[in-house]
Amino acid sequence: CSPIFLLFLLFIISLCTEELKEKLKEYVDEVNMRKPGFIKVVRHSKQEGLIRSRVSGWRAATAPVVALFDAHVEFNVGWAEPVLTRIKENRKRVISPSFDNIKYDNFEIEEYPLSAQGFDWELWCRYLNPPKSWWKLENSTAPIRSPALIGCFIVDREYFQEIGLLDEGMEVYGGENVELGIRVWQCGGSVEVLPCSRIAHIERAHKPYTEDLTAHVRRNALRVAEVWMDEFKSHVYMAWNIPQEDSGIDIGDISERKALRKKLQCKTFRWYLVSVYPEMRMYSDTIAYGVLQNSLKSDLCLDQGPDTENIPIMYICHGMTPQNVYYTSNQQIHVGVLSPTIDDDDNRCLVDVNSRPRLIECNYAKAKRMKLYWQFTQGGPIQNRKSKRCLELQENSDNEFGFQLVLQKCTGQRWSITNVLKSLSS
Ligand SMILES: *[C@@H]1O[C@H](CO)[C@@H](O)[C@H](O)[C@H]1NC(C)=O
Ligand SMILES: [Mn+2]
């Protein structure tokens, strides 16, 4: 259900499971009998989602430092002291403890490696290898500079307000942790993970908040993109495979968040990428993206095929990540999910390998001087620059959908891609 908030010397619990209502009240009453006013419970009359719930918890808090946590975490011994020390030194530090995992099926603890916290271009949060500068210190207790937050954090109560709390225009789940990290950095604060402050967190098998979590995460991500990411907002649209204009997604009113950015005189997203999150890959050379369809059979889309293989196929269009195609200004065709950071696997490129279409890691293909460059114009053929063969469909009754992908002498088949960013030159 919704999160529990642990505040410094004050607990705020907000839960929605029927079963917990009475039992929780009994527990809270019992604790408060012993320590009057120790726990405050804040209840909403309707579902407000994780983001506004956290802000409700903050509003009820009175202590100088506030910690916002999920209900499904356990605190390790001495977790708070290093955090409070760092905030006392500098109130513009927003701090996350280090996470371990509690296995949801048996409650065993699994130790996680020390990590910074970042995100991919869909703005899902992810653990990152700590930055090079941290490894150089050779001090495993030193604070780890972090581009963003997984979602649990501790902050100076008043600074949190000055910096703009969380984006209360976000719904249900996701994106607020990324937005907070970007905003704090761009507007003059910092974010760090402390190795000596540890908590354990249950990674749930299923998040029960809503039917379609992804739609909410996407909407919230677009709010972040529009307010904070300047020209890099295109990357978020590309990663979600949706058009930048008329996406059909209502992201609500962002004027207050834009005004906040202006008021705080925050730096650009390019500054943030270069200075704080250099591990993030940039995709500014993408000129078209979406699904790739052939006019001969337009209900089929180019697809990366089975995970274990490197053979692209034609498959019924569903528009999910295996069918993401990115065409770059240097004429590469990337197929599949956009690799988020330089520490992740490389992207895969379409390559002519002995007249067969194959997906090969782009950097490898480039280093080996393979045939990975393709001439393509919207509604035109896809032709390899070196071999001059065209990517085409061939009827094949053995194939599930009646067609297979081949490289052959061009017969004039035409391809189209969903979104064109810059005009595809002939
Ligand atoms: C390691 O980092 C901690 C935390 O910042 C610091 O207190 C300590 O002095 C450092 N140790 C060394 C040997 O630099
Ligand atoms: Mn959680």
Side-chain angles (χ1 to χ4, degrees):
C1 265
S2 33
I4 284 187
F5 303 98
L6 174 99
L7 308 177
F8 188 51
L9 294 182
L10 164 76
F11 294 80
I12 292 196
I13 300 164
S14 137
L15 298 156
C16 60
T17 309
E18 285 301 318
E19 190 213 329
L20 289 173
K21 277 189 178 164
E22 263 318 296
K23 286 184 185 162
L24 177 67
K25 188 174 182 308
E26 284 165 24
Y27 172 75
V28 168
D29 289 348
E30 190 193 305
V31 174
N32 281 345
M33 203 109 75
R34 282 183 278 119
K35 299 179 183 179
F38 190 65
I39 302 177
K40 289 183 193 169
V41 177
V42 178
R43 288 191 190 278
H44 293 141
S45 53
K46 62 176 177 50
Q47 182 178 22
E48 295 287 355
L50 172 151
I51 297 120
R52 287 194 293 274
S53 295
R54 286 191 185 215
V55 177
S56 295
W58 173 85
R59 290 206 166 94
T62 52
V65 174
V66 182
L68 297 113
F69 280 91
D70 297 353
H72 39 274
V73 302
E74 293 279 349
F75 294 86
N76 213 322
V77 177
W79 73 277
E81 290 85 343
V83 176
L84 294 173
T85 306
R86 291 293 288 174
I87 292 175
K88 196 170 181 191
E89 283 168 14
N90 180 349
R91 64 192 285 273
K92 294 186 176 179
R93 288 178 181 148
V94 178
I95 297 189
S96 171
S98 292
F99 280 61
D100 292 308
N101 185 32
I102 300 173
K103 293 182 186 169
Y104 60 81
D105 45 356
N106 61 8
F107 289 177
E108 260 179 29
I109 287 207
E110 173 188 14
E111 185 176 343
Y112 271 176
L114 289 178
S115 304
Q117 301 168 7
F119 51 90
D120 62 25
W121 280 116
E122 288 185 341
L123 309 192
W124 293 96
C125 59
R126 57 193 292 119
Y127 293 111
L128 303 173
N129 189 14
K132 281 197 195 88
S133 53
W134 183 84
W135 289 107
K136 256 194 227 148
L137 295 174
E138 296 187 11
N139 181 350
S140 62
T141 71
I144 303 168
R145 172 190 178 110
S146 187
L149 292 150
I150 293 293
C152 297
F153 59 93
I154 306 104
V155 62
D156 179 280
R157 185 168 56 84
E158 285 171 359
Y159 175 63
F160 192 41
Q161 179 160 43
E162 286 163 31
I163 201 79
L165 304 172
L166 297 174
D167 177 359
E168 292 178 86
M170 289 185 176
E171 302 288 344
V172 184
Y173 176 93
E176 91 294 346
N177 45 355
V178 173
E179 194 264 357
L180 178 64
I182 293 171
R183 170 158 47 90
V184 165
W185 280 112
Q186 283 184 212
C187 310
S190 64
V191 181
E192 65 191 34
V193 178
L194 293 185
C196 294
S197 171
R198 291 197 89 98
I199 62 141
H201 166 260
I202 301 180
E203 271 167 33
R204 318 175 65 135
H206 168 69
K207 294 186 170 68
Y209 317 122
T210 174
E211 291 283 299
D212 190 1
L213 197 70
T214 305
H216 293 289
V217 174
R218 185 175 66 185
R219 175 188 178 278
N220 293 346
L222 296 183
R223 287 180 68 88
V224 185
E226 290 293 338
V227 176
W228 295 102
M229 294 187 155
D230 311 323
E231 71 269 29
F232 292 94
K233 72 180 183 185
S234 63
H235 289 50
V236 179
Y237 286 88
M238 281 195 278
W240 284 103
N241 226 339
I242 47 179
Q244 271 188 76
E245 307 293 334
D246 306 318
S247 70
I249 297 166
D250 178 7
I251 65 166
D253 183 3
I254 53 169
S255 57
E256 279 183 29
R257 302 308 284 178
K258 285 188 149 172
L260 174 72
R261 178 173 174 176
K262 207 168 168 194
K263 186 184 100 187
L264 296 175
Q265 302 187 321
C266 308
K267 296 192 176 88
T268 63
F269 192 72
R270 180 179 290 279
W271 171 86
Y272 168 85
L273 279 183
V274 171
S275 317
V276 182
Y277 201 4
E279 299 87 358
M280 194 69 160
R281 285 184 205 251
M282 298 190 199
Y283 289 97
S284 304
D285 61 344
T286 304
I287 55 177
Y289 65 97
V291 293
L292 195 58
Q293 288 156 301
N294 186 296
S295 58
L296 203 59
K297 187 96 174 75
S298 60
D299 58 336
L300 297 184
C301 284
L302 186 82
D303 187 298
Q304 66 180 16
D307 266 349
T308 49
E309 289 172 27
N310 65 348
I311 304 174
I313 59 173
M314 294 306 288
Y315 196 88
I316 293 287
C317 294
H318 53 62
M320 290 185 279
T321 49
Q323 297 185 348
N324 286 9
V325 173
Y326 301 92
Y327 185 59
T328 69
S329 55
N330 68 4
Q331 298 184 311
Q332 294 179 7
I333 297 175
H334 298 189
V335 182
V337 66
L338 281 184
S339 166
T341 73
I342 52 177
D343 298 327
D344 293 286
D345 287 345
D346 193 9
N347 292 297
R348 290 200 299 174
C349 273
L350 182 71
V351 180
D352 175 339
V353 178
N354 303 323
S355 310
R356 293 196 178 86
R358 291 290 180 263
L359 297 175
I360 312 270
E361 288 199 350
C362 302
N363 284 329
Y364 179 85
K366 197 174 161 193
K368 295 281 174 190
R369 297 170 174 272
M370 296 170 97
K371 303 184 186 86
L372 74 159
Y373 301 106
W374 305 85
Q375 234 136 24
F376 169 51
T377 56
Q378 183 73 310
I382 295 180
Q383 184 177 30
N384 192 279
R385 252 171 44 189
K386 215 180 220 170
S387 72
K388 301 294 176 198
R389 280 181 287 258
C390 276
L391 182 73
E392 297 198 339
L393 298 193
Q394 192 178 66
E395 283 196 58
N396 180 338
S397 54
D398 294 341
N399 199 283
E400 195 180 349
F401 303 111
F403 288 92
Q404 73 177 68
L405 264 180
V406 295
L407 292 174
Q408 62 186 11
K409 188 156 179 283
C410 305
T411 69
Q413 286 184 20
R414 293 174 291 119
W415 292 89
S416 60
I417 191 162
T418 333
N419 304 291
V420 175
L421 287 176
K422 295 168 200 157
S423 71
L424 299 176
S425 57
S426 332

